[in-house]
Amino acid sequence: MYSSGGGGNNMAAAPTSVVVLDRGNNTTCTINLHAQFGSWNYGPQHGFARIIRWHVEKAPERLPSGDIEAMFCIVDNEVTRSMWNFPFRLSYRLILREKELHFNIGVYNVGKDVTFSFNLLLHTYFKVPDVRRCQITGLQGCTFVDKTRDGAIYQEVRDVVTVNEYTDRVYQNTPQEHIITNVVSNRKMRIQKYNFPDTVVWNPWVEKAREIQDFGDDEYPNMICVEAGHVSEPVILLPGNAFEASEILQVM
Protein backbone atom coordinates (compact mmCIF):
# COMPACT_ATOMS: atom_id res chain seq x y z
CA MET A 1 0.00 0.00 0.00
CA TYR A 2 1.21 3.53 -0.56
CA SER A 3 0.19 6.95 0.56
CA SER A 4 0.74 9.84 2.79
CA GLY A 5 2.66 8.35 5.68
CA GLY A 6 2.24 6.72 9.08
CA GLY A 7 -0.88 5.98 11.08
CA GLY A 8 -2.11 3.92 13.95
CA ASN A 9 -2.26 0.15 14.09
CA ASN A 10 -5.65 0.10 12.43
CA MET A 11 -4.84 2.55 9.65
CA ALA A 12 -3.38 1.92 6.21
CA ALA A 13 -2.11 4.17 3.47
CA ALA A 14 -4.15 4.64 0.33
CA PRO A 15 -4.77 1.36 -1.44
CA THR A 16 -1.89 0.73 -3.75
CA SER A 17 -0.94 -2.93 -3.71
CA VAL A 18 2.46 -4.06 -4.99
CA VAL A 19 2.06 -7.76 -5.60
CA VAL A 20 4.33 -10.48 -6.96
CA LEU A 21 1.85 -12.86 -8.57
CA ASP A 22 4.43 -15.41 -9.75
CA ARG A 23 7.61 -15.19 -7.73
CA GLY A 24 9.47 -17.68 -9.90
CA ASN A 25 9.06 -15.41 -12.92
CA ASN A 26 8.89 -12.06 -11.05
CA THR A 27 5.47 -11.15 -12.38
CA THR A 28 4.70 -7.90 -10.59
CA CYS A 29 1.81 -5.46 -10.69
CA THR A 30 0.92 -2.30 -8.80
CA ILE A 31 -2.68 -1.23 -8.26
CA ASN A 32 -4.03 2.19 -7.28
CA LEU A 33 -7.68 2.63 -6.42
CA HIS A 34 -9.07 5.89 -7.82
CA ALA A 35 -12.54 6.92 -6.71
CA GLN A 36 -12.38 9.65 -9.33
CA PHE A 37 -10.71 9.47 -12.73
CA GLY A 38 -8.72 12.42 -14.07
CA SER A 39 -9.11 16.03 -13.01
CA TRP A 40 -11.67 16.78 -10.31
CA ASN A 41 -13.30 20.08 -9.47
CA TYR A 42 -13.49 19.33 -5.74
CA GLY A 43 -9.97 18.21 -4.93
CA PRO A 44 -6.83 16.39 -6.08
CA GLN A 45 -6.26 14.64 -9.39
CA HIS A 46 -8.04 11.26 -9.40
CA GLY A 47 -9.91 12.10 -6.20
CA PHE A 48 -9.05 11.38 -2.58
CA ALA A 49 -9.23 7.56 -2.30
CA ARG A 50 -5.58 7.10 -3.27
CA ILE A 51 -4.18 9.71 -0.89
CA ILE A 52 -6.30 9.32 2.23
CA ARG A 53 -5.71 6.90 5.11
CA TRP A 54 -7.77 3.73 5.10
CA HIS A 55 -9.07 1.76 8.06
CA VAL A 56 -7.85 -1.84 8.19
CA GLU A 57 -11.02 -3.87 8.69
CA LYS A 58 -9.16 -7.16 8.44
CA ALA A 59 -5.38 -7.43 8.53
CA PRO A 60 -3.83 -9.84 5.99
CA GLU A 61 -4.73 -13.35 7.10
CA ARG A 62 -4.12 -16.79 5.62
CA LEU A 63 -7.40 -18.63 5.05
CA PRO A 64 -7.85 -22.41 5.38
CA SER A 65 -7.66 -22.59 1.58
CA GLY A 66 -4.17 -21.07 1.69
CA ASP A 67 -5.35 -17.78 0.20
CA ILE A 68 -4.41 -14.46 1.83
CA GLU A 69 -7.27 -12.06 2.53
CA ALA A 70 -7.27 -8.43 3.66
CA MET A 71 -10.02 -5.83 3.91
CA PHE A 72 -9.91 -2.03 4.07
CA CYS A 73 -12.48 0.76 4.15
CA ILE A 74 -13.03 4.49 4.19
CA VAL A 75 -16.03 6.13 5.86
CA ASP A 76 -16.76 9.79 5.27
CA ASN A 77 -14.94 11.99 7.75
CA GLU A 78 -13.86 15.57 8.23
CA VAL A 79 -11.17 15.29 5.54
CA THR A 80 -13.42 13.77 2.88
CA ARG A 81 -16.31 16.10 3.67
CA SER A 82 -14.00 19.11 3.24
CA MET A 83 -13.66 18.05 -0.42
CA TRP A 84 -16.85 16.12 -1.10
CA ASN A 85 -19.66 16.58 1.40
CA PHE A 86 -21.53 13.27 1.14
CA PRO A 87 -22.03 10.36 3.56
CA PHE A 88 -20.52 7.17 2.13
CA ARG A 89 -18.59 4.00 2.84
CA LEU A 90 -15.95 2.57 0.50
CA SER A 91 -14.75 -1.01 0.98
CA TYR A 92 -11.80 -2.77 -0.65
CA ARG A 93 -11.25 -6.53 -0.28
CA LEU A 94 -8.15 -8.30 -1.59
CA ILE A 95 -7.60 -12.03 -1.97
CA LEU A 96 -4.19 -13.28 -3.06
CA ARG A 97 -3.86 -16.79 -4.46
CA GLU A 98 -0.84 -18.56 -5.90
CA LYS A 99 -1.24 -17.06 -9.38
CA GLU A 100 -4.28 -14.82 -8.93
CA LEU A 101 -5.22 -11.54 -7.27
CA HIS A 102 -8.89 -10.75 -6.60
CA PHE A 103 -10.26 -7.25 -5.93
CA ASN A 104 -13.74 -6.55 -4.64
CA ILE A 105 -14.85 -2.92 -4.44
CA GLY A 106 -17.99 -1.62 -2.77
CA VAL A 107 -19.32 1.94 -2.65
CA TYR A 108 -22.25 2.53 -0.32
CA ASN A 109 -24.47 5.58 -0.05
CA VAL A 110 -25.24 5.56 3.67
CA GLY A 111 -27.21 8.80 3.50
CA LYS A 112 -30.98 8.96 3.86
CA ASP A 113 -31.93 11.64 1.37
CA VAL A 114 -28.95 12.59 -0.83
CA THR A 115 -27.94 11.02 -4.14
CA PHE A 116 -24.32 11.25 -5.26
CA SER A 117 -22.28 10.28 -8.30
CA PHE A 118 -18.69 9.09 -8.73
CA ASN A 119 -16.17 7.42 -11.03
CA LEU A 120 -14.05 4.41 -10.10
CA LEU A 121 -10.82 3.02 -11.60
CA LEU A 122 -8.31 0.33 -10.66
CA HIS A 123 -5.11 1.95 -11.90
CA THR A 124 -3.11 -1.21 -12.61
CA TYR A 125 0.60 -1.02 -13.49
CA PHE A 126 2.13 -4.21 -14.92
CA LYS A 127 5.88 -4.64 -14.93
CA VAL A 128 6.96 -5.89 -18.38
CA PRO A 129 10.32 -6.52 -20.08
CA ASP A 130 9.43 -4.36 -23.11
CA VAL A 131 6.08 -2.64 -23.51
CA ARG A 132 6.49 -2.63 -27.29
CA ARG A 133 6.24 -6.43 -27.31
CA CYS A 134 2.99 -6.56 -25.31
CA GLN A 135 -0.35 -7.20 -26.97
CA ILE A 136 -3.76 -6.57 -25.44
CA THR A 137 -6.80 -8.54 -26.56
CA GLY A 138 -10.51 -7.81 -26.28
CA LEU A 139 -10.60 -4.24 -27.58
CA GLN A 140 -11.33 -4.70 -31.28
CA GLY A 141 -14.51 -2.89 -32.32
CA CYS A 142 -14.68 -0.83 -29.12
CA THR A 143 -15.05 2.94 -29.21
CA PHE A 144 -12.33 4.82 -27.37
CA VAL A 145 -11.59 8.36 -26.26
CA ASP A 146 -8.01 9.32 -27.16
CA LYS A 147 -6.87 11.77 -24.50
CA THR A 148 -3.60 12.35 -26.35
CA ARG A 149 -5.61 13.86 -29.21
CA ASP A 150 -7.86 16.27 -27.33
CA GLY A 151 -10.46 13.64 -26.51
CA ALA A 152 -11.14 12.61 -30.11
CA ILE A 153 -13.30 9.49 -30.41
CA TYR A 154 -12.27 6.53 -32.57
CA GLN A 155 -13.12 2.89 -33.05
CA GLU A 156 -10.43 0.26 -32.45
CA VAL A 157 -9.86 -1.82 -35.59
CA ARG A 158 -6.90 -3.92 -34.41
CA ASP A 159 -7.47 -7.44 -33.13
CA VAL A 160 -4.68 -6.85 -30.60
CA VAL A 161 -3.63 -3.44 -29.26
CA THR A 162 0.06 -2.55 -28.99
CA VAL A 163 1.77 0.46 -27.41
CA ASN A 164 4.59 2.22 -29.27
CA GLU A 165 4.02 5.84 -28.25
CA TYR A 166 2.39 8.01 -25.59
CA THR A 167 -0.95 6.31 -25.01
CA ASP A 168 -3.92 7.43 -22.90
CA ARG A 169 -7.15 5.83 -24.10
CA VAL A 170 -10.50 5.14 -22.47
CA TYR A 171 -12.10 2.17 -24.22
CA GLN A 172 -15.86 2.04 -23.67
CA ASN A 173 -18.22 -0.89 -23.19
CA THR A 174 -15.38 -3.38 -23.24
CA PRO A 175 -15.77 -7.14 -22.72
CA GLN A 176 -15.19 -8.76 -19.34
CA GLU A 177 -11.84 -10.29 -20.28
CA HIS A 178 -8.52 -9.03 -21.65
CA ILE A 179 -5.25 -10.87 -22.05
CA ILE A 180 -1.88 -9.11 -22.05
CA THR A 181 0.91 -11.06 -23.75
CA ASN A 182 4.66 -10.97 -23.06
CA VAL A 183 4.26 -9.74 -19.50
CA VAL A 184 7.38 -11.59 -18.37
CA SER A 185 9.18 -14.73 -19.64
CA ASN A 186 6.62 -14.86 -22.47
CA ARG A 187 3.84 -15.34 -19.90
CA LYS A 188 0.37 -13.85 -20.23
CA MET A 189 -1.83 -11.95 -17.80
CA ARG A 190 -5.59 -12.47 -17.86
CA ILE A 191 -7.79 -9.62 -16.64
CA GLN A 192 -11.38 -10.48 -15.74
CA LYS A 193 -13.60 -7.60 -14.68
CA TYR A 194 -17.17 -7.38 -13.46
CA ASN A 195 -19.35 -4.26 -13.44
CA PHE A 196 -16.46 -2.23 -14.85
CA PRO A 197 -17.65 -1.20 -18.35
CA ASP A 198 -14.48 0.69 -19.34
CA THR A 199 -10.84 -0.21 -19.91
CA VAL A 200 -8.06 2.40 -19.81
CA VAL A 201 -4.74 1.78 -21.59
CA TRP A 202 -1.92 4.13 -20.56
CA ASN A 203 1.81 4.59 -20.98
CA PRO A 204 3.41 8.05 -20.61
CA TRP A 205 6.31 7.36 -23.03
CA VAL A 206 9.40 9.56 -23.10
CA GLU A 207 8.23 13.16 -22.71
CA LYS A 208 5.34 12.58 -20.31
CA ALA A 209 7.49 10.31 -18.13
CA ARG A 210 9.83 13.25 -17.55
CA GLU A 211 6.90 15.40 -16.40
CA ILE A 212 5.66 12.98 -13.71
CA GLN A 213 7.43 13.55 -10.40
CA ASP A 214 7.04 10.04 -9.00
CA PHE A 215 7.76 8.24 -12.28
CA GLY A 216 11.33 7.53 -13.41
CA ASP A 217 12.40 8.99 -16.75
CA ASP A 218 13.48 5.57 -17.98
CA GLU A 219 10.68 3.44 -16.51
CA TYR A 220 8.12 3.72 -19.33
CA PRO A 221 9.51 0.84 -21.49
CA ASN A 222 9.02 -1.59 -18.60
CA MET A 223 5.40 -0.93 -17.68
CA ILE A 224 1.94 -0.94 -19.11
CA CYS A 225 -1.36 0.09 -17.56
CA VAL A 226 -4.51 -1.82 -18.48
CA GLU A 227 -7.13 -0.56 -16.07
CA ALA A 228 -10.69 -1.63 -15.27
CA GLY A 229 -13.01 1.21 -14.46
CA HIS A 230 -16.36 2.95 -14.56
CA VAL A 231 -15.22 6.30 -15.96
CA SER A 232 -17.01 7.14 -19.24
CA GLU A 233 -20.22 7.78 -17.34
CA PRO A 234 -20.52 8.37 -13.59
CA VAL A 235 -22.20 5.92 -11.27
CA ILE A 236 -25.30 7.55 -9.76
CA LEU A 237 -25.99 6.10 -6.32
CA LEU A 238 -29.33 6.65 -4.60
CA PRO A 239 -29.61 6.86 -0.79
CA GLY A 240 -29.26 3.45 0.85
CA ASN A 241 -27.95 1.82 -2.33
CA ALA A 242 -24.63 0.15 -3.13
CA PHE A 243 -22.36 -0.25 -6.15
CA GLU A 244 -20.10 -3.28 -6.29
CA ALA A 245 -17.48 -4.31 -8.83
CA SER A 246 -14.59 -6.74 -8.98
CA GLU A 247 -11.51 -7.76 -10.93
CA ILE A 248 -9.31 -10.86 -11.11
CA LEU A 249 -5.71 -10.84 -12.35
CA GLN A 250 -4.37 -14.26 -13.31
CA VAL A 251 -0.90 -15.27 -14.50
CA MET A 252 -1.15 -17.73 -17.38
Side-chain angles (χ1 to χ4, degrees), residues 81-197:
R81 288 191 294 269
S82 70
M83 295 179 275
W84 193 66
N85 192 19
F86 294 97
F88 73 94
R89 183 176 185 275
L90 176 60
S91 68
Y92 187 49
R93 178 174 178 244
L94 302 175
I95 298 177
L96 178 62
R97 295 179 176 169
E98 183 178 0
K99 295 183 184 297
E100 293 182 2
L101 182 60
H102 295 232
F103 311 90
N104 296 279
I105 312 297
V107 183
Y108 307 92
N109 185 342
V110 299
K112 295 181 179 180
D113 53 12
V114 178
T115 297
F116 62 71
S117 62
F118 62 94
N119 292 331
L120 190 67
L121 181 75
L122 289 174
H123 193 48
T124 314
Y125 292 72
F126 295 99
K127 181 180 178 181
V128 300
D130 184 350
V131 67
R132 291 161 291 198
R133 295 182 60 241
C134 294
Q135 297 178 328
I136 308 164
T137 70
L139 297 172
Q140 187 177 28
C142 294
T143 300
F144 66 88
V145 177
D146 193 336
K147 298 175 74 175
T148 73
R149 291 173 171 80
D150 298 321
I153 299 175
Y154 302 94
Q155 186 175 44
E156 184 58 72
V157 298
R158 297 172 291 176
D159 57 345
V160 292
V161 170
T162 56
V163 173
N164 297 285
E165 61 181 347
Y166 170 41
T167 301
D168 191 356
R169 296 180 173 185
V170 181
Y171 287 87
Q172 302 170 329
N173 298 313
T174 56
Q176 288 187 344
E177 180 175 295
H178 304 293
I179 293 176
I180 311 172
T181 65
N182 295 314
V183 175
V184 67
S185 302
N186 293 319
R187 302 293 292 273
K188 299 177 181 179
M189 180 71 71
R190 174 185 282 132
I191 300 173
Q192 296 172 290
K193 59 188 181 70
Y194 305 93
N195 215 16
F196 282 127

Side-chain angles (χ1 to χ4, degrees), residues 56-72 92-97 101-102 104:
V56 180
E57 280 195 311
K58 182 179 181 181
E61 176 185 354
R62 186 175 297 276
L63 304 177
S65 62
D67 301 343
I68 305 295
E69 180 186 50
M71 298 176 64
F72 308 88
Y92 187 49
R93 178 174 178 244
L94 302 175
I95 298 177
L96 178 62
R97 295 179 176 169
L101 182 60
H102 295 232
N104 296 279

